[in-house]
Amino acid sequence: MKKNIAIIGSGFSSLAGACYLAQSGHAVTIYEKNSTVGGRARQLKKEGFTFDIGPTWYWMPDVFERFFKDFDKKTSDYYELIKLSPAYQVYFGINDFVLIADNLSEIKNTFEKIETGSGEKLEAFINEAKNNYDIAIKDLVYRPGISPLELITFETAKKINQFFSNISKDVRSRFKNKRLVQILEFPVLFLGAKPSNTPSFYSFMNYADFGLGTFHPKNGMYSVILAMESLAKELGVQIKTNSNVEKIEVDNGKACALIVNGNIINTDVVLSGADYHHSETLLDQKHRAYSEKYWDKKTFAPSSLLFYVGFDKKIENVEHHSLFFDVDFDVHAQDIYDKPKWPDEPLFYASFPSKTDENSAPKGKEAGIFLIPLAPGLNDTPELREQYFEKIISRLEKLTQQEVRKNIIFKESFCVNDFIKEYNSYKGNAYGMANTLLQTAFLRPKLKSNKVKDLYFTGQLTVPGPGVPPSLISGKLVAQLIEKYS
């Protein structure tokens, strides 16, 4: 039966959910509080430069293809994909870095040169990671997180120990060189927790990295948002920007309307792709499934301090994606997860999309995106932002042996306060809720409200978890639940 479905927010999961629901014949309207679609994956354009404000890594291309294939489309119908070669580089000291190639054979050689015997160990590790990837990404993550039985299959039963060990222990039992350990622990940071708190089964992220490679959609990650927006509109979805949802109305235990910009919008089903915690604050207290105490106890993925910088020259000795691991990883991790504070010596990541994409910056110039992972909920001031920009730009100059500070045309920043203001993000988190053992699958906040009929949620705080590919999957899962229960 055709229903009117109102969706809050227009990020990856909301757009995905909207596409599936419209395909099933429902009348779908998206309400986005900001002036453009995309949620956290928006764009900044300034003085001929273009920056992705949010995600900059395109991993798991098969998940994107699977999404578009569900609508008899291909990614290439909407955007051009460029495989990065090298995938990225990791700095450990002055002019001291490791390049990660775009294929496993070369990566094995790189490992072997650093630690004798590690090449073969890496191949075995990635083979196991591929097996986990085939189980997880092709099957498990497409389950709605309703029951613990979803995790019990013939394949997962054989890997039960991997759910009770962790990535850090697994990697360190095979590789002794600190650099190799850090490179192999890096991909699970996308899951929002320390490697020592991330189950070994999540090594499938290493296969996503070394096995499948790193890509760049021409014109940036926002091309994917525009593709999904285009698909949604083709399917009949209405998208209303500058539409702030102020309340979810409930009548007789059923979600029945939204209050948008002061107006009552009646609807049959409400789906929120906005921050889960914020979405529940749109309900009267008695209709909320999770208390403030519940949210406060959860392990959230980091927030970030981001800078978008226009340079008047090309930056040397850096790749499209460059990681700066020249300081102690464990100390920075403690400052995020154990005793939250601004880190004294932060690791940071830099993206220079204009290395690959001429549309990112005017000719002869460079677009730079810098990210420092931070604990959510920290005090965020202009003075602190400036202090940390000085820290990382000084390190960049020292490590890459060049002056760049005097070549800055402009810089914009984005941090905890902005995540809260722009996305109603709980404590200003950037990536949602971490995928720890006790926050996996059925242990995450539910896609379907257990307090209010016809109220659903999607996105990185629910199933399957943080990241862009999981968000696409989350939209599909919630659409299936709506079809089943509403």
Side-chain angles (χ1 to χ4, degrees), residues 362-375:
K363 191 169 183 180
K365 300 180 181 180
E366 201 87 88
I369 301 167
F370 298 85
L371 182 153
I372 301 172
L374 298 172

Side-chain angles (χ1 to χ4, degrees), residues 345-469:
E345 294 295 336
L347 285 80
F348 68 98
Y349 152 67
S351 173
F352 301 94
S354 40
K355 292 286 178 195
T356 303
D357 197 334
E358 61 189 15
N359 296 329
S360 297
K363 191 169 183 180
K365 300 180 181 180
E366 201 87 88
I369 301 167
F370 298 85
L371 182 153
I372 301 172
L374 298 172
L378 293 182
N379 184 38
D380 169 19
T381 67
E383 292 76 21
L384 280 165
R385 295 188 190 197
E386 194 58 37
Q387 178 186 334
Y388 277 80
F389 183 75
E390 284 302 312
K391 279 180 186 276
I392 63 172
I393 210 71
S394 296
R395 294 237 308 276
L396 176 75
E397 289 186 323
K398 180 181 175 184
L399 294 166
T400 64
Q401 296 287 280
Q402 65 190 308
E403 288 188 11
V404 300
R405 190 186 271 98
K406 65 183 181 183
N407 299 101
I408 294 171
I409 304 169
F410 66 83
K411 75 173 188 291
E412 301 276 346
S413 64
F414 200 96
C415 197
V416 173
N417 293 346
D418 300 299
F419 281 103
I420 295 169
K421 175 174 173 284
E422 297 293 322
Y423 312 130
N424 296 308
S425 170
Y426 182 70
K427 293 185 178 179
N429 79 82
Y431 307 109
M433 191 184 286
N435 258 340
T436 60
L437 178 62
L438 296 178
Q439 293 181 178
T440 292
F442 67 96
L443 296 172
R444 298 179 70 79
K446 302 301 183 191
L447 292 163
K448 179 180 180 291
S449 172
N450 59 16
K451 285 279 190 85
V452 179
K453 181 173 169 47
D454 295 326
L455 174 60
Y456 298 83
F457 304 88
T458 186
Q460 53 191 8
L461 267 72
T462 181
V463 180
V468 178

Side-chain angles (χ1 to χ4, degrees), residues 82 109 112 160 179 201 221 302 325 331 354 372 377 440 466:
I82 304 161
N109 292 338
E112 191 63 32
I160 191 69
R179 296 177 182 200
F201 183 71
M221 286 293 286
F325 285 4
V331 172
S354 40
I372 301 172
T440 292

Side-chain angles (χ1 to χ4, degrees), residues 2 8 26 34 54 74 96 100 144 190 211 230 331 355 371 463:
K2 180 178 177 179
I8 306 171
H26 302 294
N34 293 314
K74 304 187 293 291
D96 175 11
I100 300 300
F190 285 100
S230 178
V331 172
K355 292 286 178 195
L371 182 153
V463 180

Side-chain angles (χ1 to χ4, degrees), residues 39-224:
R40 297 174 192 231
R42 293 185 297 157
Q43 250 184 358
L44 168 65
K45 291 192 172 190
K46 185 170 181 176
E47 295 182 33
F49 293 82
T50 302
F51 306 88
D52 280 313
I53 290 178
T56 54
W57 290 78
Y58 191 105
W59 272 5
M60 303 185 187
D62 51 319
V63 175
F64 294 85
E65 290 295 351
R66 184 167 172 176
F67 169 76
F68 283 101
K69 188 179 179 183
D70 283 344
F71 304 92
D72 296 321
K73 303 284 188 182
K74 304 187 293 291
T75 57
S76 58
D77 293 334
Y78 295 97
Y79 55 89
E80 179 187 339
L81 213 49
I82 304 161
K83 190 172 190 186
L84 298 184
S85 179
Y88 56 92
Q89 70 179 158
V90 188
Y91 264 95
F92 295 100
I94 296 172
N95 264 339
D96 175 11
F97 57 84
V98 175
L99 283 175
I100 300 300
D102 67 348
N103 63 87
L104 184 57
S105 177
E106 285 185 60
I107 299 171
K108 276 177 60 184
N109 292 338
T110 299
F111 269 53
E112 191 63 32
K113 286 174 187 171
I114 295 171
E115 180 182 314
T116 303
S118 65
E120 291 306 311
K121 289 179 184 175
L122 178 66
E123 184 165 28
F125 179 66
I126 297 300
N127 284 339
E128 289 172 26
K130 180 185 186 305
N131 186 248
N132 287 354
Y133 189 91
D134 289 341
I135 295 167
I137 305 303
K138 295 178 182 178
D139 181 18
L140 287 187
V141 294
Y142 286 90
R143 301 184 183 198
I146 293 172
S147 162
L149 297 177
E150 292 172 10
L151 292 179
I152 302 171
T153 68
F154 177 72
E155 294 296 340
T156 56
K158 293 189 293 185
K159 294 175 176 285
I160 191 69
N161 291 340
Q162 290 191 31
F163 288 92
F164 296 98
S165 185
N166 63 68
I167 288 286
S168 184
K169 189 184 292 183
D170 208 24
V171 167
R172 290 163 194 252
S173 69
R174 305 171 192 231
F175 303 92
K176 303 308 174 193
N177 184 276
K178 191 176 179 182
R179 296 177 182 200
L180 300 186
V181 167
Q182 284 190 296
I183 290 168
L184 287 168
E185 288 183 344
F186 151 68
V188 300
L189 297 180
F190 285 100
L191 300 171
K194 290 196 297 187
S196 57
N197 286 338
T198 303
S200 298
F201 183 71
Y202 284 101
S203 67
F204 62 73
M205 292 296 291
N206 293 102
Y207 176 71
D209 181 1
F210 288 179
L212 296 176
T214 304
F215 296 79
H216 173 76
K218 192 166 183 183
N219 299 322
M221 286 293 286
Y222 199 64
S223 295
V224 186

Side-chain angles (χ1 to χ4, degrees), residues 464-484:
V468 178
S471 292
L472 297 183
I473 296 165
S474 186
K476 180 173 186 174
L477 293 175
V478 78
Q480 290 170 340
L481 287 185
I482 291 170
E483 283 291 291
K484 185 174 180 179

Side-chain angles (χ1 to χ4, degrees), residues 287-396:
H287 298 309
R288 299 174 191 173
Y290 303 101
S291 66
E292 287 298 321
K293 193 173 178 182
Y294 169 89
W295 293 112
D296 195 50
K297 283 183 174 179
K298 293 299 170 184
T299 301
F300 272 78
S303 186
S304 298
L305 170 54
L306 290 136
F307 296 100
Y308 311 100
V309 186
F311 295 95
D312 68 7
K313 70 169 187 178
K314 302 303 283 185
I315 308 300
E316 299 173 357
N317 304 325
V318 291
E319 297 294 336
H320 183 127
H321 294 304
S322 296
L323 304 167
F324 293 85
F325 285 4
D326 54 304
V327 297
D328 195 311
F329 175 93
D330 294 327
V331 172
H332 189 167
Q334 287 169 14
D335 293 341
I336 295 173
Y337 297 104
D338 302 333
K339 296 178 180 176
K341 72 181 186 73
W342 281 84
D344 294 324
E345 294 295 336
L347 285 80
F348 68 98
Y349 152 67
S351 173
F352 301 94
S354 40
K355 292 286 178 195
T356 303
D357 197 334
E358 61 189 15
N359 296 329
S360 297
K363 191 169 183 180
K365 300 180 181 180
E366 201 87 88
I369 301 167
F370 298 85
L371 182 153
I372 301 172
L374 298 172
L378 293 182
N379 184 38
D380 169 19
T381 67
E383 292 76 21
L384 280 165
R385 295 188 190 197
E386 194 58 37
Q387 178 186 334
Y388 277 80
F389 183 75
E390 284 302 312
K391 279 180 186 276
I392 63 172
I393 210 71
S394 296
R395 294 237 308 276
L396 176 75

